[in-house]
């Protein structure tokens, strides 16, 4: 499966959340036996300073989940472009990148 590209925007000091529904063709992707992890980095070669999204499966059989960052997390992020990806691990241990893209962090004015 090739990764979809999805670019997002967040504001420093504000909560961030996005809802997703995974499909393979016309069928929902069942997340019941899978685990998800997503991280963002300022630059893909950095070994420190990454931010981990909270991922919550909201309807496993329908492939629905949400990605979240808290206001504390976004406040700690430098304004600018970050790279992120989301990896799924299947019940057989196979890992696949589902989504990748940029997360543009806008400077917070009213923090």
């Amino acid at each position: 499966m090739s990764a979809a590209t999805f670019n997002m925007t967040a504001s420093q000091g504000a909560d961030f959340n996005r809802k997703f529904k995974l499909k393979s063709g016309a069928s929902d992707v069942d997340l019941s036996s899978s685990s998800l992890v997503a991280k963002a980095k300022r630059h893909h070669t950095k070994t420190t300073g990454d931010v981990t999204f909270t991922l919550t499966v909201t309807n496993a059989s329908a492939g629905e989940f949400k990605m979240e960052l808290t206001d504390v997390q976004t406040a700690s992020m430098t304004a600018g472009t970050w790279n992120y990806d989301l990896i799924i691990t299947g019940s057989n241990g196979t890992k696949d990148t589902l989504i990748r893209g940029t997360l543009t962090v806008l400077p917070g004015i009213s923090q």
Side-chain angles (χ1 to χ4, degrees), residues 69-83:
L69 295 171
T70 66
D71 59 327
V72 173
Q73 286 175 296
T74 61
S76 72
M77 298 172 77
T78 305
T81 303
W82 290 62
N83 299 295

Side-chain angles (χ1 to χ4, degrees), residues 31-48:
L31 299 173
S32 299
S33 301
S34 303
S35 62
L36 302 170
V37 64
K39 292 186 179 187
K41 291 186 177 189
R42 186 75 166 119
H43 191 272
H44 70 279
T45 61
K46 293 280 186 186
T47 57
T48 61

Side-chain angles (χ1 to χ4, degrees), residues 17-98:
N17 66 69
R18 292 292 177 275
K19 294 179 182 178
F20 291 89
K21 181 175 180 79
L22 295 176
K23 291 188 149 301
S24 179
S27 302
D28 296 338
V29 174
D30 190 346
L31 299 173
S32 299
S33 301
S34 303
S35 62
L36 302 170
V37 64
K39 292 186 179 187
K41 291 186 177 189
R42 186 75 166 119
H43 191 272
H44 70 279
T45 61
K46 293 280 186 186
T47 57
T48 61
D50 58 330
V51 175
T52 301
F53 290 87
T54 299
L55 298 168
T56 306
V57 176
T58 55
N59 186 336
S61 61
E64 297 175 357
F65 68 96
K66 61 183 176 178
M67 291 176 66
E68 298 176 285
L69 295 171
T70 66
D71 59 327
V72 173
Q73 286 175 296
T74 61
S76 72
M77 298 172 77
T78 305
T81 303
W82 290 62
N83 299 295
Y84 82 93
D85 64 10
L86 181 136
I87 295 174
I88 186 170
T89 303
S91 59
N92 62 358
T94 302
K95 293 185 178 192
D96 199 8
T97 302
L98 292 179

